[in-house]
Amino acid sequence: MNLKQGIALMSSVLAFGLATEAGAVCTQTAASQADRDLWNTHGCWQDFFLWQYKAYGLRSGDWSNRGWNAACNVNLEFPKHWNASYLLTYGMEDDWNQSFHGTEDYRATAEARSSNFHDSLYHSITDRTDVFGTFTPRFWPWDTDRVETACPLYNPNVSNSNPGSRAGDYMHEGWHAYFDKYNFDNGNTGGHRPGPQGACTINGCDYFYFHGISKYPFGAMWENNGTASKFHSPNQVQVEFLCDVADQSHWWIPLSVRQTAASDANARAASRFINGPGYTCGSPRPW
């Protein structure tokens, strides 16, 4: 088994403790309060979703029964996918003195185009219920990396089915693509360290590489110096993004979107880091 095959397999078997329902389909009967509240700020913006599917490399065959031809039905997966992209694209204040990173960092991590952040990728979807998302590197040089998001991010009965958590997973999986681009080995448990260990309580742990506010110029989140003093892990990028949604988003971002993002970030901060960041959304910035 070569490296590419190994990474793909490990990503596919990583579990997060949610119930597995073989053959299940994502729930399409409703949307969460946070999804509906954000939706009401744009009212189904056609120009945006026509841009978004290209920017994220979505393929019609993957989304054909998931709102591809009903992009204004917020109960379906494609509308929920682009609703999260809308938050990511327009929601941040980008306050140099307060934000972990800027919109350009988060967009480059999520969007399909090749950049310093990752090679070209595309977003697909899976009916799995035991993961939030997966990253599968291309097998052949002419192929494309794939980010998949899963039912728990679309099922309104799951707390992570909200725009912040969904976009947060774009960060997480996009950072696995970053590791693949630069050949970083973050561990052999779905691209993480085995657990539980340290403060991490699950099987699939990261380190939090603490950095101060304004450490990274906007657009430079991809940079590292090869040491822990300037580096990010997938869960770290995800938590920093979610806390920027919770604490540093524009005034018009609904409270329900901020609160669900903070809840997700704080839960991850408490359970997914070996060294525990000792930080929760809402803690004073900067330091």
Side-chain angles (χ1 to χ4, degrees), residues 80-116:
K80 290 176 181 175
H81 193 277
W82 73 256
N83 201 33
S85 299
Y86 175 80
L87 170 66
L88 196 163
T89 305
Y90 294 109
M92 304 297 147
E93 282 193 330
D94 287 353
D95 185 336
W96 171 249
N97 295 310
Q98 296 291 330
S99 302
F100 280 109
H101 299 286
T103 295
E104 58 188 296
D105 296 288
Y106 298 134
R107 284 187 55 184
T109 302
E111 293 174 11
R113 69 184 184 281
S114 177
S115 69
N116 288 326

Side-chain angles (χ1 to χ4, degrees), residues 21-29 65-66 77 125-129 150-152 154-156:
E21 299 175 12
V25 296
C26 299
T27 300
Q28 298 180 319
T29 55
N65 60 344
R66 303 174 188 273
E77 291 92 338
I125 186 167
T126 171
D127 284 327
R128 290 181 61 176
T129 58
C151 288
Y154 299 93
N155 183 344

Side-chain angles (χ1 to χ4, degrees), residues 3 31 47 66 120 171 191 247 259 267:
L3 176 62
D47 287 346
R66 303 174 188 273
S120 296
M171 300 298 107
D247 302 337
Q259 289 177 330

Side-chain angles (χ1 to χ4, degrees), residues 115-185:
S115 69
N116 288 326
F117 287 74
H118 54 64
D119 294 330
S120 296
L121 55 78
Y122 71 100
H123 282 245
S124 186
I125 186 167
T126 171
D127 284 327
R128 290 181 61 176
T129 58
D130 60 331
V131 296
F132 292 118
T134 64
F135 168 72
T136 304
R138 65 195 178 283
F139 186 81
W140 302 108
W142 54 86
D143 202 354
T144 307
D145 296 342
R146 181 175 76 244
V147 167
E148 288 183 314
T149 40
C151 288
L153 295 174
Y154 299 93
N155 183 344
N157 299 317
V158 178
S159 61
N160 293 77
S161 179
N162 63 80
S165 294
R166 205 171 299 122
D169 201 76
Y170 305 164
M171 300 298 107
H172 186 117
E173 307 308 335
W175 215 250
H176 281 299
Y178 168 83
F179 278 11
D180 183 65
K181 179 181 179 73
Y182 293 104
N183 293 316
F184 289 125
D185 182 3

